[in-house]
Amino acid sequence: MPSGRRRFDGSVVVVTGAARGIGAATAELFSGLGARVWIGDIDAEEAERTASRIRSARALRLDVTDGASWQQFIDSVLAEDGRIDVLVNNAGVMPLGEFDAETGDVTDLILDVNVRGVINGMRAAIPHMVSRGRGRVVNVASMAGMIPIPGMVTYNASKFAALGASLAARREYAGTGVTVSAILPAAVRTELASGATLGGGLPTVDPEDVAQAIARTARTGARRVSVPAWVAPGWSLIDALVPERVEGFVRGLLDDRRALTSVDDSQRRTYTERIARQTEQHAHFTSPRPKVPRVPSGADTASSSPTTAPTEAGS
């Protein structure tokens, strides 16, 4: 083990979306640093296979979009280990493609996993941490939470939201002993990015790089950490100082529309098929959302509105 890397001996660490990719690398790293690791993933079989090769790891099915599933998961962790020291909200999905071709069910899946999953996780774990007077929450957002990218409209929205929720929760729980942090990876070599052309202006990193940043942040409690570390500060400087027209020209040279134009569908098929299955299952088990009537272009909205407006569902 490299010197200077703090161990987490005896700590109880929960990692969501840890059957594969960043989550699996993070679970393995925390285990190697002495932690007891709980893997939560909607793919229970793959989660079990991952846990079987990691020392001191347990796997349970977890649907991060479902508050009841979270409660069952947290109850199991507390019943066996009595506490949660670190929560890593890592679960996420990343469909790519044209915004106007995206179905409502896919939109729901992206927002429910990437945003509601983070909120549900914090809501389930933070009260237990507050009662103990200490705990770390590390939410895995993305540099897509700062940099808008064509072909990823809803994904961008979800990661901007995940970052905002992390920063707001950090302020809300300041002084309680609970620290909330956000990790913003650049492009990561995982199944989520399969078939996409990586590089070209945005650094590409491995899941192990992100896992190391997560573990460091769980130790330091840093507010916002990008992977590599210079990307977020660099983008903030560009966003503040470079005119949009100049930025657009450079983006064109770097082909920032590649998520729309150069995705290899054959290389991405395994992931897209899995997301299609997950979308169908999610739509089946999620309560129908109220439909908002479409107003014809140019119509008088007052006269074309229904007599009784639809009631917005409560959260």
Side-chain angles (χ1 to χ4, degrees), residues 266-285:
S266 62
Q267 291 184 14
R268 194 167 174 77
R269 182 170 294 116
T270 298
Y271 182 69
T272 55
E273 289 178 350
R274 182 155 59 85
I275 288 298
R277 291 192 298 271
Q278 190 174 346
T279 300
E280 183 177 359
Q281 293 166 1
H282 185 67
H284 178 72
F285 289 108

Side-chain angles (χ1 to χ4, degrees), residues 8-22:
F8 286 83
D9 291 317
S11 295
V12 179
V13 179
V14 168
V15 187
T16 71
R20 304 172 176 85
I22 292 171

Side-chain angles (χ1 to χ4, degrees), residues 19 41-50:
D41 201 289
I42 197 166
D43 188 341
E45 292 184 2
E46 188 65 25
E48 287 285 358
R49 283 191 286 270
T50 299

Side-chain angles (χ1 to χ4, degrees), residues 86-254:
V86 180
L87 167 64
V88 181
N89 277 315
N90 166 73
V93 295
M94 193 178 76
L96 303 175
E98 297 176 353
F99 177 60
D100 60 7
E102 181 179 288
T103 68
D105 287 343
V106 170
T107 299
D108 290 342
L109 180 71
I110 297 171
L111 296 179
D112 283 352
V113 173
N114 296 0
V115 184
R116 189 180 294 275
V118 169
I119 291 172
N120 284 345
M122 291 195 293
R123 182 176 287 135
I126 285 178
H128 300 284
M129 294 178 173
V130 170
S131 69
R132 296 179 60 235
R134 65 179 184 272
R136 301 286 197 190
V137 177
V138 182
N139 295 327
V140 180
S142 168
M143 277 309 301
M146 293 181 68
I147 304 176
I149 304 170
M152 302 174 68
V153 171
T154 305
Y155 182 78
N156 268 135
S158 73
K159 292 303 184 178
F160 270 75
L163 176 58
S166 302
L167 299 180
R170 180 183 180 86
R171 288 303 311 145
E172 182 159 335
Y173 290 98
T176 67
V178 178
T179 303
V180 181
S181 306
I183 298 290
L184 283 68
V188 187
R189 299 181 186 92
T190 66
E191 191 182 34
L192 270 71
S194 58
T197 304
L198 303 179
L202 188 63
T204 304
V205 296
D206 292 313
E208 292 75 16
D209 300 321
V210 184
Q212 289 171 13
I214 291 169
R216 281 196 306 272
T217 303
R219 174 174 58 83
T220 65
R223 182 171 70 104
R224 183 192 69 182
V225 176
S226 61
V227 188
W230 58 266
V231 179
W235 172 255
S236 295
L237 192 63
I238 291 170
D239 199 34
L241 300 179
V242 177
E244 184 179 21
R245 180 173 56 83
V246 175
E247 179 194 320
F249 175 74
V250 175
R251 278 172 166 260
L253 294 178
L254 296 174

